[in-house]
Amino acid sequence: MQVMLKECAWESLGDELVVVHDPREAYTLADPDGRIAALLDELARGPATAEELSAALSARGVPVTEDDVRDGLAGLDSLGLVEDAAGRLLGDPDADERHFSNLTFFGVFARLGRPRAEFVRRLRDSHVLVLGAGGGGSSLVQCLAGLGVGALTLVDRDDIAPRNFARQFLYRHADIGRSKVDRAAEWVREYDPGIEVRAVDRWISGPDDLKDLTEDAHLIAGGLDGDPDANLWVNEAALRAGVPWVAGGMTRTQLIYFSVDPGVSACLRCDESDLPDPRERTTAAVAQRLTRGLRLANGLTGPMAMQVGSLVAYEAMRYLTGVEQPRAAGSRVVIDLLDGLVPVWQPFPRDPGCPACALARR
Ligand SMILES: [Zn+2]
């Protein structure tokens, strides 16, 4: 394997070497004989194998074996400073240019044997079912398209209306009255003709209406509104299909997102297991019943809608690429507008008797 050094700067300081890659942290490495500095100098010339590096270092008077070089590279790899040179790009100049920033971003997570191009390929091979092309959905679709998700199925039953314009930047004035999903699909095609996109203009009135849509999806993103139980239908459909689900939205003063990893995390139905019985005559039960029945006018406006859409897209990216573990699995992440937008994690309770989790195919 040809090893490549990521963007780094270093300087010897007595017996130590100070190395910076990510501005958040400078590494201080013990390097009394200057061998690590010499290895970095050689790597900075361009991609090389351990054998080539050992020969080059020996030629400049630093006698090291190939095994010494491999140990040194493993050390640099553990700090995330080197990667597989062949996996830095997709191999098609147009695609590499299109995904320049995606490849650069995934470079953070690339290691020897874990090339950055692989993360982009996983996204291009993914099919995401997007529920809702409204407030959060509009920016979610744009974020997923930017990441280069290869196939999108967009589901919504609304038409574009003037009141959408505070937050739904997919749409133009001239689109008023048109179907949201048709226009959203058109936007995706114009944005990147390489993305396969399907518009489903359908009203969802139960989990069965989602069955055919989840069949070949790798992930469900977004949610449904209109019925207090609508997200429980999606929860059930996701668990039945064994497909992860990421969704988000806004209450009156809180942005919320969460994800469900079927068979792994607690689900949205589990989350209801510790709620009081709404028939009880207790303050908690009455408050719960009133909260559930509350009809909130949608106050999601541009900055919040984009935040929710992008957080859902980022969590979706974690599932689709495996770049890191999903962070919101089995948790509600609450971003409080009245408390400085600092995210707080609220794990769902686990319900061992959850009827929805029992459906998870794994
Ligand atoms: Zn459950």
Side-chain angles (χ1 to χ4, degrees):
M1 179 197 295
Q2 291 226 304
V3 178
M4 188 154 177
L5 186 66
K6 296 186 190 174
E7 293 156 324
C8 282
W10 59 93
E11 194 172 307
S12 294
L13 186 69
D15 284 351
E16 292 180 332
L17 186 68
V18 182
V19 186
V20 179
H21 165 56
D22 185 338
R24 66 183 289 151
E25 188 177 12
Y27 296 119
T28 307
L29 311 177
D31 191 27
D33 49 13
R35 296 205 304 179
I36 303 174
L39 177 59
L40 289 174
D41 286 343
E42 283 306 320
L43 279 167
R45 293 168 180 272
T49 63
E51 188 183 358
E52 289 163 348
L53 289 165
S54 133
L57 286 166
S58 299
R60 60 188 272 183
V62 184
V64 287
T65 65
E66 216 177 298
D67 281 345
D68 293 336
V69 171
R70 282 186 209 288
D71 288 348
L73 291 175
L76 296 177
D77 193 31
S78 70
L79 300 175
L81 300 178
V82 288
E83 64 182 309
D84 175 358
R88 277 174 61 89
L89 297 171
L90 293 159
D92 163 11
D94 290 343
D96 289 330
E97 185 63 19
R98 151 71 170 92
H99 288 287
F100 177 84
S101 294
N102 289 327
L103 289 162
T104 305
F105 167 73
F106 287 118
V108 171
F109 304 94
R111 297 289 183 273
L112 296 177
R114 200 173 183 241
R116 61 174 76 182
E118 182 57 28
F119 299 118
V120 176
R121 273 192 208 100
R122 286 181 193 167
L123 288 170
R124 295 175 94 197
D125 291 342
S126 294
H127 173 203
V128 174
L129 172 63
V130 179
L131 300 179
S138 172
S139 47
L140 168 62
V141 167
Q142 292 181 311
C143 286
L144 294 174
L147 284 167
V149 170
L152 296 170
T153 296
L154 313 179
V155 184
D156 204 301
R157 178 58 295 269
D158 264 348
D159 294 334
I160 299 159
R163 64 168 55 191
N164 303 147
F165 281 81
R167 59 184 194 270
Q168 299 178 24
F169 305 123
L170 266 183
Y171 309 121
R172 304 163 303 182
H173 188 265
D175 298 326
I176 290 172
R178 287 187 62 191
S179 144
K180 279 189 186 174
V181 273
D182 284 350
R183 172 60 195 144
E186 190 178 282
W187 181 91
V188 173
R189 287 186 200 105
E190 286 169 352
Y191 172 78
D192 182 346
I195 299 173
E196 207 179 294
V197 59
R198 182 162 72 112
V200 180
D201 199 326
R202 180 189 294 183
W203 183 251
I204 306 289
S205 53
D208 289 346
D209 291 343
L210 291 162
K211 200 165 178 289
D212 61 316
L213 299 171
T214 53
E215 266 163 12
D216 59 350
H218 299 109
L219 182 129
I220 305 171
L224 301 171
D225 47 30
D227 187 292
D229 284 335
N231 276 330
L232 288 173
W233 305 335
V234 186
N235 183 65
E236 184 182 322
L239 289 163
R240 217 180 265 284
V243 173
W245 173 40
V246 192
M250 182 179 168
T251 65
R252 210 180 286 283
T253 54
Q254 291 174 321
L255 303 178
I256 288 169
Y257 80 103
F258 61 87
S259 74
V260 174
D261 194 355
V264 178
S265 77
C267 78
L268 202 64
R269 171 76 71 182
C270 291
D271 187 40
E272 303 217 332
S273 63
D274 66 351
L275 295 179
D277 183 333
R279 290 165 301 187
E280 283 173 22
R281 294 300 298 164
T282 61
T283 310
V286 172
Q288 158 61 22
R289 183 162 45 75
L290 293 176
T291 303
R292 197 175 174 86
L294 202 58
R295 283 279 178 266
L296 295 178
N298 199 330
L300 197 64
T301 193
M304 282 91 89
M306 296 196 87
Q307 182 149 201
V308 167
S310 73
L311 287 168
V312 170
Y314 199 93
E315 176 81 344
M317 181 201 73
R318 293 183 179 116
Y319 278 102
L320 296 171
T321 60
V323 80
E324 62 173 12
Q325 289 297 308
R327 295 291 182 107
S331 286
R332 175 180 283 101
V333 184
V334 178
I335 298 156
D336 197 323
L337 304 186
L338 304 184
D339 199 18
L341 299 174
V342 179
V344 174
W345 267 253
Q346 297 176 350
F348 295 156
R350 269 198 183 266
D351 176 10
C354 173
C357 281
L359 300 169
R361 266 199 231 152
R362 285 224 169 179

